Structures are given as C-alpha cells and as structure tokens.
Amino acid sequence: MPPDTSTPPTDLQAALAESRQEAQDLRAELEETNRGVLALYAELDSQAEQLRQATDLKSRFLAYMSHEFRTPINSIRSITRLLLDRVDGPLTEEQERQVAFIQQNATEFAEMVDDLLDLAKVEAGRVEISPAWFEMVDLFSALRGMFKPVLTNAAVNLVFEEPQDVPKLYTDDRKLSQILRNFIANALKFTPKGEVRVGARFEGDGRVTFSVADTGIGIAPEFHASIFEDFQQVQSPLQKRLRGTGLGLSLSKKLATLLGGSVDLRSEPGKGSVFSVTIPVQLEGAKPE
Ligand code: ADP
C-alpha cells in the first residue's frame, strides 16, 4: 500500500476555504443587492417619467383652458364697458351698480386667466427669456407711469427711490417688470395708509436687489414660505376680502428663478412687508452683444 500523501487540511487551508466561501456569499449578496438597486432605479425612472408627463399634461390643459377663456371674458368686458358708457341708452342706478359688479368680476377673472397662462408656460418651459441692456431709471419710470392711473387711495404714497450706483443691467426687463408689478400691486392692495417704496441696491457681487417696502398690514411668519406657492393666500379677514388669484407671488418666484435669481420676504404683522427680488446684473449664460 502506497503511503498516504494527502495531508489533513491545515488550519490555514481551512481558514482560506472558509474566507473563499464568505467572499462568494458576499459577492452573491452584492449581486442581488445590485439587481434590487437597478430595479429600484428603473421604477424611479418610470415614476419620474410619469410625473413629467402628468406635469406636461397639466401645463397643456392650463394653457388651452386659459387661452379658450380669454375670448368670452373679453367680450363680457367689452359689453359691460359699452353698457356703462350708455351706448345703448341710460341705466338706472341699480343697473349701473350691477353692471359695474360684472365688469369688476370679469376683470379679476381675466387677470386670473393671464396668470394661469403665464404659470403654465413657465412650467412647460415655454417661456422665452429675451435679455437686453437697459437702465434701471427707465424701468422705474415705466412702472411709475403704469401705476399712476390706479393710485386711488390718497392716504398712500407710491415712491420710487433714485437708484444709487446700480449699473446697467443685461437681463429680461419685461420679466423683471412683471415681478415688480406684482409686488407693487400687492403692496398697494394691502396698505391702507402710509407708503409703498420701490428701491434698487447693487450688492457688489454682480447682483442687484429690488425691493418693494410697504407700511401695510404685514404677514404673519407662518405664511412667509407658503404665499410663494400656487393659490396660497393669507387667511385673515382683510386679506380674504381683497381676494385675488393667489398666483402672482408664485409666478414672481418662478420668473425670478428663470432670471437666475430669487425672491425674499421680510414682514411683521401690523408694521408692513418688504418683498424683494435679487438677480444677477448680467443674465448668466447669455452673451451680451
Ligand atoms: P393675490 O394677491 O392675487 O391673492 P399673490 O400670490 O400675489 O396672490 O399673494 C398671495 C397672498 O399673499 C395675498 O393674497 C395676500 O394674502 C398676501 N400678500 C401678498 N403681498 C402682501 C403684502 N404686501 N402685504 C400683505 N399681504 C400680502
């Protein structure tokens, strides 16, 4: 009988075999986890795609609906104007009150439709940004002219400060003007007396801050973040009575983002509010000619 050459496994060999097995188990486990992660990624991808499609559908629906609403609303507004101008004969006092009421509501409706259309366009990524060089003073004087006819409360002053050291801007002045118009219209709406002050400040780091400060009713801290969301309004008696669409600030925030900037709010109930928008002097990514 030949001598038995196979030696019994040493402790080292046993340990090696065991760790090989452990490595194999680990690899199998990792592979399984990997498959799980891949499956999760695929699910997330499909959910993201569904979400994108839903958002797209919502934006398209809003855009179509708002567009379709425009024609009938505008004809209601034109007819009320004709009636109030007595084109079709005299009106009794009560009829005049009622037609004026229809006109006011149709105007609010038209504003809401415009805001919805703008929001839908922003969400669908269909807003064109057209930057150009412009001077702050020109923007302020255009805004001053726009608000002059609607300043009906003699107890409130609308002041445009002389912009100090603000360089020429290269951005979309119409979008910036839309943001400031929203801020100013709100400030005038919620300020029974005192002033609404519009100013601009160069931040020194390539950005400019525009602010609209009012001495109005103010906003409680718990609403500071939510009023920049769609359809959010402050639940206080005065803010409810002066109802608007609740879309202006959310649109302003989205427009500010498109201009590479952000919006901000500081406010104290009973003392007033300061709404501001900070944007780069020169729109990022755009090449000024
Ligand atoms: P809207 O004014 O059409 O309701 P906005 O999105 O512009 O919608 O404003 C949302 C809400 O924020 C307003 O309804 C109001 O309650 C509050 N708000 C906005 N600006 C002011 C302000 N300057 N002072 C007090 N409340 C304000």
Side-chain angles (χ1 to χ4, degrees), residues 50-68 113 115-127 230 254:
Q50 277 173 15
L51 207 65
R52 206 191 51 72
Q53 281 178 4
T55 310
D56 198 41
L57 206 67
K58 188 193 79 180
S59 306
R60 259 191 299 164
F61 169 73
L62 280 180
Y64 284 139
M65 189 197 75
S66 322
H67 196 257
E68 290 304 310
V113 164
D115 282 355
L116 273 174
L117 197 57
D118 283 344
L119 261 184
K121 277 197 204 148
V122 173
E123 283 184 8
R126 296 215 188 101
V127 172
D230 297 355
K254 290 185 171 118

Side-chain angles (χ1 to χ4, degrees), residues 183 186-187 189-190 214 217-219 227 232-234 239 242-250 273 275:
F183 287 172
N186 277 344
K189 195 155 74 169
F190 297 109
D214 66 54
I217 58 171
I219 301 162
I227 52 166
Q232 292 303 314
Q233 294 173 318
V234 176
Q239 271 136 319
L242 292 167
R243 85 205 138 85
T245 61
L247 291 171
L249 289 178
S250 121
S273 314
F275 281 87

Side-chain angles (χ1 to χ4, degrees), residues 103-115:
Q103 188 184 45
Q104 187 200 330
N105 277 276
T107 304
E108 278 175 19
F109 195 16
E111 280 166 10
M112 184 170 199
V113 164
D114 283 347
D115 282 355

